[in-house]
Amino acid sequence: MKPNFLYLGGDKCGSTWLHRILSQHPEVGLPASKELFYFDRYFQRGTDWYMRQFEGLEAPRVGEICHDYLYSPPALERIADFFDDDAVFLVVLRNPYVRMISHHRYLQRIGKTALPLDGAIDGHGGLVSHSLYLQPVQQAIALLGRDRVRFLKFEDLASDPAGFGRKLSDALGIRFIPELPYADRVLEGNAARSGQLVRILRHAGWRLRELGLQNVVSSIKSNPLVNRALFQRQTARSSPLDAGVTPRIADLARQFHEQSSELEAACDLDLSDWRETLEQVTSPGGQ
C-alpha cells in the first residue's frame, strides 16, 4: 500500500513516543524501521525500494516516522511530488530553547561532545538550526499545503499524554483508543557507559542502513538488553531552564522569541508559554 502520512519533524520532539504509540494502533501501518531517511539520505534507491518497505501493510493510515525531513528542502520537494492529495503530514514543535538543550544533552549522552552548549554549537549546527522552525515550517506549508500539514505541541504531550493522543488521532483521521499506553514516557536522561563505543556502533549503524539493513538497526536500537549494556541511568537531572545562559545563548533565545509570533500564526498554535520561557532566558541575569 502506498503510504499516506509522514511525520516530518522536529527532532527531540517526541518521535520515539509517536512511533511507539502508532505502532500499537490498529488503524496505522508502520514499516519495521522507524526511520527510513528515504527522501533525504537514500533517495537514490528509488521508489520501488521505498514502496517495498510498506509491503503487507493494510490500514487507513500507512506511513513513516522520520524526524529529519522537516529540515531538508530537497526532501520536502520530493515528498510533495510523491504523495497523493489524501496524505497527511505531522509536525510536532517544542519550545526551541528547551529543544536545543535536549539536543545538546543527547549529543553528550552518545559521546559526540563533552563541551558545554555554548562550545558545542560550532561543531553541531543542528543544535541551533533545528530550533529555528519558521523557515522549514513555511516551506512545508508552501509545498505540501496548509490543510495537509498538522501541527502539534510537544508541551501538550508532556502535560497531558492522553489528550495529546486524542489530538494525534484527530490529525490522522483515526479513532482515539483510550487504552493505548500514552503515559509511557521516553526517558532522555541515560548516559553512555562508553562514548567511544557508542560512536563506533552509531557509525556501524549508518553503514548497515547504507546496505539496506535499516530493519536490523531498528531492532538493535529498540532492544532493552542492548540499551542497558550501552547506557546507564543518571541521577536526577536539572531542568533545561537551569542551563547556564551565556550572551551567545541569550542572543539565540531572542531569535527564537522573535520568530514565535509569526510561527504561532502559521501553525495555529498558542505559543505564549514559549515566550514566557524565552523572556526568562533573555532577561538581565538570565534565569
Side-chain angles (χ1 to χ4, degrees), residues 37-267:
F37 297 106
Y38 170 65
F39 292 102
D40 53 356
R41 300 175 190 242
Y42 301 122
F43 192 65
Q44 76 281 359
R45 291 179 175 171
T47 302
D48 290 344
W49 177 88
Y50 189 61
M51 291 293 291
R52 285 198 299 272
Q53 310 310 309
F54 303 93
E55 285 180 353
L57 297 178
E58 296 292 338
R61 286 293 177 194
V62 171
E64 178 194 357
I65 308 293
C66 191
H67 52 64
D68 281 356
Y69 292 152
L70 180 65
Y71 308 110
S72 170
L76 292 175
E77 292 174 0
R78 294 161 181 165
I79 289 166
D81 289 339
F82 176 83
F83 281 85
D84 295 334
D85 291 342
D86 65 342
V88 169
F89 306 100
L90 297 175
V91 174
V92 179
L93 301 179
R94 183 179 191 175
N95 181 306
Y97 177 75
V98 178
R99 195 221 68 83
M100 181 174 65
I101 300 291
S102 177
H103 192 167
H104 176 240
R105 287 180 173 176
Y106 170 74
L107 294 176
Q108 291 179 317
R109 171 182 180 259
I110 63 174
K112 293 197 76 170
T113 185
L115 295 172
L117 177 59
D118 198 323
I121 286 171
D122 292 325
H124 302 280
L127 285 168
V128 175
S129 64
H130 287 195
S131 282
L132 291 169
Y133 302 123
L134 184 58
Q135 185 174 349
V137 161
Q138 289 174 331
Q139 182 168 34
I141 290 172
L143 289 170
L144 306 175
R146 179 62 183 87
D147 59 326
R148 297 198 298 168
V149 184
R150 314 291 167 82
F151 294 96
L152 300 170
K153 277 180 66 179
F154 178 87
E155 289 76 15
D156 293 338
L157 167 59
S159 64
D160 181 9
F164 185 90
R166 184 180 294 277
K167 292 178 181 178
L168 173 64
S169 300
D170 290 344
L172 289 174
I174 56 178
R175 287 183 297 125
F176 171 65
I177 299 179
E179 295 78 20
L180 292 181
Y182 301 106
D184 286 358
R185 302 300 178 94
V186 177
L187 299 177
E188 298 180 312
N190 294 343
R193 297 182 187 276
S194 168
Q196 182 178 7
L197 176 59
V198 171
R199 286 194 300 274
I200 292 170
L201 291 176
R202 282 177 58 81
H203 179 74
W206 284 113
R207 288 290 300 134
L208 289 172
R209 289 182 187 277
E210 290 168 6
L211 295 172
L213 299 175
Q214 64 281 345
N215 293 352
V216 174
V217 178
S218 289
S219 177
I220 293 173
K221 286 177 65 176
S222 62
N223 187 300
L225 293 177
V226 172
N227 275 279
R228 280 199 291 271
L230 293 177
F231 302 103
Q232 58 187 340
R233 188 177 299 278
Q234 289 189 322
T235 56
R237 304 194 64 167
S238 61
S239 164
L241 298 184
D242 294 333
V245 179
T246 65
R248 184 184 197 184
I249 301 304
D251 284 342
L252 288 172
R254 291 187 190 96
Q255 290 184 49
F256 301 150
H257 191 286
E258 289 168 0
Q259 287 195 355
S260 64
S261 294
E262 196 170 352
L263 186 67
E264 187 174 55
C267 302

